[in-house]
């Protein structure tokens, strides 16, 4: 695997402040439950035979505040091996600038290396509130059969180019099934929705349809 594609490599400038998350975060319990389900589905996880044995996949939920209107909570980098997370497995993104490739975050751990891609989806209208970045060989291989939008094979994960490509695809019209497959990121896809329930339901449907298309 090319060095550019090693999971967990943070490619943006990160202004990170270590510390505990606020004790009461609206939606945290639902986010953590959704993350555990995604782990069971295999779109988040860790496998010694895949991606150099490093963790993969992440999920985020918009959590704006008066001080940080762009804030969202996201699973931390390299937490994929854990079937269940505690608050210590999350980071809060407070602000970001896609053009500068800069992101500010706090929490018990650093945010996922895909946090900038999540930021790009959150920023681009129409508004969404939950995002899953997962890995599925079936969805990735059946992207054309499923009619899914794709980023170019030359666009690496976690880069400004990936963030801009995501925004361009959304600006061009609603991507089918609110999903984009990342051809330059092995097995990678990103799905979003108005809430966690809608987003998880879309991921489950995609997995089923990809398996059916492969038959």
């Amino acid at each position: 695997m090319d060095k550019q594609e090693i999971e967990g490599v943070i490619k943006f400038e990160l202004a990170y402040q270590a510390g505990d998350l606020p004790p009461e975060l609206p939606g945290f319990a639902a986010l953590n439950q959704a993350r555990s389900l995604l782990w069971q589905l295999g779109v988040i996880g860790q496998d010694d035979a895949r991606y150099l044995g490093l963790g993969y996949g992440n999920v985020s939920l918009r959590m704006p505040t008066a001080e940080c209107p762009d804030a969202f909570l996201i699973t931390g980098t390299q937490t994929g091996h854990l079937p269940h997370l505690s608050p210590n497995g999350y980071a809060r993104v407070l602000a970001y600038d896609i053009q500068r490739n800069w992101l500010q975050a706090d929490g018990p751990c650093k945010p996922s290396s895909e946090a900038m891609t999540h930021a790009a989806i959150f920023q681009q209208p129409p508004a969404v509130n939950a995002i899953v970045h997962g890995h599925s060989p079936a969805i990735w291989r059946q992207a054309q059969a499923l009619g899914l939008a794709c980023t170019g094979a030359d666009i690496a994960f976690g880069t400004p180019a990936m963030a801009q490509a995501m925004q361009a695809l959304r600006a061009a019209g609603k991507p089918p099934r609110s999903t984009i497959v990342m051809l330059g990121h092995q097995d990678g896809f990103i799905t979003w929705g108005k809430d966690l329930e809608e987003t998880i339901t879309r991921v489950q449907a995609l997995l089923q349809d990809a398996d059916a298309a492969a038959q």
Side-chain angles (χ1 to χ4, degrees):
M1 183 182 295
D2 188 276
K3 182 172 68 174
Q4 289 293 315
E5 284 307 301
I6 296 176
E7 291 289 336
V9 176
I10 293 176
K11 300 177 180 178
F12 47 81
E13 180 184 350
L14 177 63
Y16 170 66
Q17 179 65 51
D20 293 335
L21 294 170
E24 297 296 333
L25 285 173
F28 173 79
L31 177 62
N32 204 30
Q33 183 178 15
R35 190 269 178 196
S36 294
L37 175 57
L38 291 165
W39 193 92
Q40 293 171 13
L41 292 172
V43 298
I44 290 176
Q46 186 169 348
D47 183 338
D48 289 344
R50 299 166 67 187
Y51 325 127
L52 301 181
L54 296 172
Y56 58 88
N58 39 74
V59 59
S60 65
L61 182 66
R62 188 192 296 272
M63 286 189 178
T65 66
E67 298 80 12
C68 303
D70 295 325
F72 60 90
L73 199 65
I74 188 168
T75 44
T77 185
Q78 289 308 302
T79 55
H81 63 291
L82 299 169
H84 305 287
L85 295 185
S86 72
N88 289 336
Y90 289 84
R92 185 174 56 166
V93 173
L94 302 173
Y96 51 85
D97 187 320
I98 293 171
Q99 298 303 319
R100 289 173 52 204
N101 199 31
W102 172 88
L103 188 144
Q104 180 185 11
D106 67 4
C109 61
K110 292 180 179 180
S112 163
S113 57
E114 282 288 358
M116 188 64 76
T117 304
H118 287 244
I121 297 292
F122 280 130
Q123 184 183 67
Q124 182 73 27
V128 300
N129 292 301
I131 298 172
V132 169
H133 165 53
H135 281 239
S136 164
I139 292 174
W140 202 70
R141 292 169 185 161
Q142 299 301 322
Q144 183 175 3
L146 297 175
L148 300 176
C150 300
T151 56
D154 59 337
I155 300 177
F157 83 93
T159 60
M162 178 63 77
Q164 291 161 9
M166 291 281 174
Q167 291 190 326
L169 284 169
R170 290 199 69 202
K174 184 177 180 180
R177 306 178 76 157
S178 297
T179 295
I180 296 173
V181 171
M182 308 151 94
L183 294 184
H185 186 31
Q186 185 180 4
D187 301 336
F189 71 94
I190 194 158
T191 299
W192 59 87
K194 68 177 185 293
D195 53 31
L196 282 166
E197 182 178 6
E198 180 178 77
T199 307
I200 299 300
T201 297
R202 284 176 173 160
V203 171
Q204 291 173 312
L206 282 165
L207 290 169
Q208 293 173 356
D209 292 348
D211 286 341
Q215 301 304 314

